[in-house]
């Protein structure tokens, strides 16, 4: 947008402080040669001036930054957002060519400092600014806000390469599940609010109090199997891959789970502690490094459709700037700047799929203050946000990825 008196400095122009993509300086601009000389050149000189304004606020975070820009002149209108570039296209293919249109998507190749180095494209940044919302309400004809009190709202963790070098979309449920979605069998304990009231979380929960009172609490497993083996978890088997997948998504919501959701290989290797960086946690989770745990995992991998977030997923959802390029340990994720710039932080205790390797009964959880800690698999019942992968052929049909106008997807 063109603004006047920017920063009360008497300067007019395009404010590009938070701008991404393209800034159209002139639209439908006519260039013509002389009719009598069709081969003659039309020469124009354009001067683009960028002014750095000295604001009164602390500017230390801007030191060492690099500014780059290009001036482009072309016939066709260029997309200025990911939604504009990818609507009516296969999203996993389009993302590779256009991810730079969204400043909150980071390519985790070998050049990204502190990244996973798995060639994934992951969303990182604040809860409000990251446009990765998806509505799964059983159809693609709807548009606008997701109905049913956000029950059908999900967020894209990222795009991950599969064994066929195609990219699958990994989702996580936006808010915590209810017993309507996960059932009251298996690892179900009861309402989350029975153990803690809404006010006890100090306003950290990002949902409403009305929503809070519907959230269900689940153990990581059941009383008959109190070990941190995901393969033997009642939450995995009964609540996620039976009730949620079949009763809720398939039968209640009418979602084609047979074709939409892929069977994924979930890596189950553990780490010994949480005072590590996201990369160190990722390498242990994926068994890239040999951690020689005191309590090794019986089942290293398992094939399922529904799982939970990895600790490393949570770690990489925070912006690189707030974590000093992911050099901060997961034990420091309660820092206000990190918590404010981590879209995956929801403000309650919630389970991850990642286990500890120093005992046989603890797994990692994201705490209500943003930190990563350990929890016993059956002593406590926390919130659950199912996570799963969509087919690489999914097409974007509508939406801009915001919470009020989330992406709508189709397999057609």
């Amino acid at each position: 947008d063109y603004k006047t008196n920017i920063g009360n400095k008497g300067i007019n122009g395009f404010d590009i402080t938070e701008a991404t993509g393209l800034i159209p300086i002139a639209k439908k601009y006519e260039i013509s040669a002389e009719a009598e000389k069709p081969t003659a050149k039309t020469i124009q000189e354009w001067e683009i001036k960028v002014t750095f304004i000295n604001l009164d606020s602390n500017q230390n975070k801007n030191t060492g930054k690099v500014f780059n820009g290009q001036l482009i002149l072309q016939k066709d209108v260029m997309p200025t957002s990911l939604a504009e570039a990818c609507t009516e296209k296969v999203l996993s293919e389009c993302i590779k060519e256009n991810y730079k249109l969204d400043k909150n998507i980071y390519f985790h190749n070998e050049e990204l400092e502190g990244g996973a180095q798995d060639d994934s494209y992951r969303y990182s940044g604040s809860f409000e600014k990251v446009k990765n919302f998806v509505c799964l309400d059983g159809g693609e004809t709807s548009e606008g806000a997701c109905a049913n009190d956000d029950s059908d709202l999900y967020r894209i963790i990222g795009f991950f390469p599969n064994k066929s070098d195609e990219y699958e979309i990994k989702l996580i449920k936006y808010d915590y599940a209810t017993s309507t979605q996960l059932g009251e069998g298996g690892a179900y304990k009861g309402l989350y609010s029975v153990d803690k009231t809404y006010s006890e979380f100090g306003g950290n929960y990002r949902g409403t109090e009305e929503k809070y009172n519907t959230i269900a609490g689940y153990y990581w497993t059941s009383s008959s199997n109190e070990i941190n083996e995901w393969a033997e978890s009642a939450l995995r088997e009964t609540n996620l891959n039976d009730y949620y997948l079949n009763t809720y998504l398939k039968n209640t919501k009418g979602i084609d789970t047979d074709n939409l959701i892929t069977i994924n290989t979930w890596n189950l290797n553990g780490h010994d502690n949480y005072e590590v960086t996201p990369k160190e946690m990722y390498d242990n989770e994926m068994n890239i490094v040999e951690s020689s745990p005191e309590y090794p995992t019986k089942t290293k991998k398992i094939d399922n459709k529904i799982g939970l977030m990895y600790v490393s997923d949570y770690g990489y959802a925070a912006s690189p700037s707030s974590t000093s390029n992911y050099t901060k340990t997961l034990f420091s994720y309660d820092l206000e700047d990190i918590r404010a710039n981590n879209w995956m932080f929801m403000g309650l205790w919630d389970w991850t799929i990642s286990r500890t390797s120093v005992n046989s009964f603890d797994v990692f959880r994201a705490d209500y203050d943003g930190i990563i800690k350990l929890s016993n698999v059956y002593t406590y019942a926390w919130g659950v946000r199912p996570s799963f992968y969509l087919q690489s052929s999914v097409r974007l049909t509508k939406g801009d990825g915001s919470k009020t106008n989330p992406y709508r997807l189709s397999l057609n």
Side-chain angles (χ1 to χ4, degrees):
D1 294 332
Y2 187 86
K3 299 182 179 180
T4 58
N5 195 23
I6 300 174
N8 294 319
K9 302 290 184 178
I11 297 173
N12 304 330
F14 296 97
D15 183 359
I16 63 173
T17 308
E18 297 291 336
T20 58
L22 301 175
I23 302 172
I25 296 174
K27 295 180 179 180
K28 297 182 179 179
Y29 187 84
E30 291 188 2
I31 300 177
S32 59
E34 296 179 39
E36 298 80 10
K37 301 177 181 179
T39 59
K41 297 179 180 179
T42 297
I43 299 176
Q44 297 182 345
E45 292 184 1
W46 290 66
E47 179 179 326
I48 309 299
K49 182 179 181 181
V50 177
T51 302
F52 292 84
I53 302 175
N54 185 20
L55 300 176
D56 297 330
S57 56
N58 190 322
Q59 297 297 301
N60 287 338
K61 66 179 182 179
N62 293 324
T63 59
K65 297 295 190 296
V66 176
F67 176 82
N68 294 301
Q70 288 181 310
L71 183 62
I72 301 172
L73 180 68
Q74 68 173 52
K75 179 180 179 180
D76 298 325
V77 177
M78 292 188 69
T80 59
S81 69
L82 197 63
E84 289 180 354
C86 296
T87 299
E88 300 300 335
K89 295 181 181 179
V90 175
L91 190 53
S92 61
E93 296 176 356
C94 186
I95 198 74
K96 292 185 289 184
E97 300 296 327
N98 297 282
Y99 79 94
K100 290 184 179 180
L101 290 174
D102 192 325
K103 69 175 183 178
N104 293 114
I105 297 179
Y106 293 86
F107 182 32
H108 282 248
N109 60 1
E110 293 182 354
E111 297 178 6
L112 181 63
E113 186 176 357
Q117 299 180 8
D118 59 355
D119 288 338
S120 62
Y121 297 85
R122 298 172 185 251
Y123 281 95
S124 303
S126 72
F127 181 87
E128 294 80 11
K129 291 184 178 180
V130 173
K131 290 188 174 183
N132 61 347
F133 286 92
V134 173
C135 183
L136 295 181
D137 57 4
E140 59 172 294
T141 56
S142 303
E143 56 186 325
C146 212
N148 301 321
D149 190 29
D150 301 333
S151 295
D152 303 324
L153 203 58
Y154 297 79
R155 301 192 80 167
I156 303 174
I157 295 177
F159 303 82
F160 296 79
N162 60 21
K163 296 177 182 178
S164 302
D165 293 327
E166 298 172 330
Y167 277 81
E168 296 177 353
I169 306 168
K170 188 177 184 181
L171 301 183
I172 186 171
K173 197 174 185 304
Y174 157 63
D175 210 335
Y176 302 96
T178 66
S179 60
T180 301
Q181 294 151 358
L182 297 188
E184 297 186 0
Y188 177 70
K189 178 186 179 183
L191 286 175
Y192 201 100
S193 57
V194 171
D195 293 325
K196 275 193 173 293
T197 64
Y198 175 78
S199 60
E200 288 183 88
F201 286 99
N204 285 350
Y205 173 52
R206 285 176 163 163
T208 64
E209 184 172 5
E210 181 182 8
K211 171 62 180 176
Y212 176 81
N213 291 325
T214 69
I215 296 171
Y218 289 85
Y219 301 110
W220 202 81
T221 187
S222 62
S223 59
S224 61
N225 213 351
E226 297 182 41
I227 58 174
N228 57 8
E229 296 285 343
W230 185 242
E232 301 178 38
S233 164
L235 176 62
R236 175 199 68 82
E237 182 178 12
T238 303
N239 303 104
L240 293 174
N241 286 282
D242 185 6
Y243 196 94
Y244 176 73
L245 179 65
N246 298 312
T247 301
Y248 182 71
L249 290 180
K250 187 174 183 178
N251 296 333
T252 303
K253 304 306 301 182
I255 295 174
D256 183 9
T257 56
D258 294 334
N259 294 306
L260 180 65
I261 301 177
T262 66
I263 296 176
N264 177 66
T265 298
W266 300 84
N267 292 283
L268 307 175
N269 198 44
H271 204 304
D272 56 359
N273 72 88
Y274 38 71
E275 294 193 57
V276 293
T277 65
K279 174 59 175 172
E280 291 169 329
M281 179 64 78
Y282 174 85
D283 286 347
N284 276 266
E285 289 170 335
M286 299 298 132
N287 203 25
I288 295 174
V289 297
E290 194 63 46
S291 58
S292 301
E294 183 180 354
Y295 291 86
T297 311
K298 295 178 182 177
T299 306
K300 292 287 187 181
K301 300 178 180 181
I302 191 169
D303 291 339
N304 271 142
K305 288 200 169 187
I306 311 296
L308 300 173
M309 65 178 174
Y310 291 105
V311 170
S312 58
D313 289 335
Y314 180 82
Y316 283 129
S319 66
S321 60
S322 67
T323 59
S324 301
N325 293 321
Y326 304 120
T327 58
K328 302 273 186 162
T329 70
L330 295 159
F331 194 64
S332 67
Y333 268 48
D334 59 339
L335 295 174
E336 185 176 350
D337 187 46
I338 297 180
R339 197 169 60 217
N341 287 284
N342 186 342
W343 66 263
M344 202 179 289
F345 168 72
M346 276 300 291
L348 301 184
W349 287 303
D350 53 312
W351 293 116
T352 75
I353 199 173
S354 308
R355 62 183 290 277
T356 182
S357 57
V358 296
N359 62 49
S360 62
F361 47 81
D362 282 340
V363 297
F364 294 104
R365 75 168 192 264
D367 212 346
Y368 77 99
D369 59 1
I371 205 170
I372 293 294
K373 291 183 179 178
L374 289 172
S375 272
N376 183 281
V377 293
Y378 189 71
T379 302
Y380 305 101
W382 306 134
V384 176
R385 286 188 284 169
S387 180
F388 49 88
Y389 294 79
L390 304 182
Q391 291 283 2
S392 59
S393 57
V394 165
R395 182 170 55 89
L396 173 61
T397 61
K398 293 182 179 72
D400 61 11
S402 64
K403 188 173 184 289
T404 55
N405 188 22
Y407 291 134
R408 307 281 173 154
L409 306 176
S410 171
L411 274 172
N412 295 333

